[in-house]
Amino acid sequence: MEFNFERLAADDRYKILTSTIVPRPIAWVSSISKNGVRNAAPFSFFNAMSKTPPIIAIGIQANADGSMKDSACNILDTREFVVNLVPRAVAEAMNLTSVDAPPDVDELSMADLATLPSVKVKPERIAASPVAFECRLHTPIEVAPSQLIVLGEIVHAHVADEFVLDAEKHYIDTPALDLVGRLHGRDWYSTTSDIFQIERPTSYSVRSGRGG
């Protein structure tokens, strides 16, 4: 089956993208409005893009009414935010913060989420998240009206002590983080518990001949 993305409706493109690009990590973004209202919201159009500088990218869709989401407004206004990663233990709380709440609602309080102070940015990090990245806005890209791609530069990282295997070598116990990702449809998620290993090749060699 072929799908012409230049002719498909946006919602239909979204269905294909979110049903095939899986699993997607979740950026649980905490931010603060210019008026001091805290906000938290999850976004699954998210990943790391660069190590030098350390850049993450988050795609923030517009609201159903065409307005810009609170997270996007806050990031543009203050140029600071925190990306918290989501362990299975607080997946329900993460889901609760996805509600389309008015701008004056503090989703962290609404979901009864404890927070910890950040080191270099004003928005707080979520205490239950084993990993949090403090970020400053590097480049905002408005790809459509009220639809923003945020390139953020990580300026500080937090990893809970119990998940650090070797601090000097920066080895992290990734499976123990028990992080969740987004799958297809509106309500499906995955964990990182079902994993396998394939050794990466270390050199290139040309093989020729039968059975080579």
Side-chain angles (χ1 to χ4, degrees):
M1 180 70 70
E2 308 295 327
F3 298 98
N4 187 337
F5 264 46
E6 294 180 325
R7 295 184 178 181
L8 283 179
D11 286 347
D12 294 329
R13 293 195 297 263
Y14 182 83
K15 290 176 185 176
I16 295 173
L17 290 172
T18 58
S19 295
T20 55
I21 302 175
V22 294
R24 301 185 305 282
I26 299 170
W28 200 5
V29 176
S30 49
S31 61
I32 300 178
S33 74
K34 61 183 178 182
N35 297 321
V37 179
R38 301 187 307 171
N39 179 273
F43 301 96
S44 66
F45 283 7
F46 157 65
N47 220 311
M49 297 290 114
S50 169
K51 66 177 181 179
T52 308
I55 298 293
I56 55 91
I58 307 170
I60 305 178
Q61 308 298 302
N63 286 315
D65 64 1
S67 62
M68 185 171 283
K69 288 189 178 293
D70 296 337
S71 296
C73 291
N74 294 349
I75 291 170
L76 290 175
D77 287 339
T78 69
R79 304 186 68 85
E80 295 184 338
F81 59 100
V82 179
V83 170
N84 307 272
L85 301 187
V86 185
R88 178 67 183 87
V90 290
E92 287 75 14
M94 175 275 298
N95 186 52
L96 183 58
T97 64
S98 69
V99 67
D100 186 15
D104 59 349
V105 170
D106 180 337
E107 286 90 351
L108 292 164
S109 296
M110 178 191 68
D112 197 25
L113 288 163
T115 60
L116 293 169
S118 295
V119 174
K120 296 181 180 178
V121 300
K122 188 174 180 180
E124 299 162 342
R125 56 193 176 98
I126 297 171
S129 296
V131 180
F133 298 114
E134 298 182 23
C135 300
R136 294 195 181 107
L137 180 61
H138 182 280
T139 307
I141 306 169
E142 192 167 354
V143 294
S146 299
Q147 184 172 315
L148 191 70
I149 293 176
V150 171
L151 298 184
E153 182 171 355
I154 300 170
V155 295
H156 200 85
H158 303 265
V159 181
D161 290 348
E162 60 266 34
F163 302 111
V164 179
L165 296 175
D166 188 321
E168 290 187 2
K169 294 183 178 179
H170 305 97
Y171 289 169
I172 308 298
D173 189 353
T174 304
L177 295 173
D178 196 27
L179 300 177
V180 300
R182 287 286 274 127
L183 288 177
H184 56 287
R186 290 179 57 87
D187 303 322
W188 287 97
Y189 294 83
S190 67
T191 67
T192 53
S193 58
D194 184 14
I195 62 177
F196 62 93
Q197 184 177 21
I198 300 176
E199 185 176 351
R200 185 172 179 171
T202 58
S203 63
Y204 173 79
S205 62
V206 177
R207 295 185 178 184
S208 60
R210 288 189 176 182

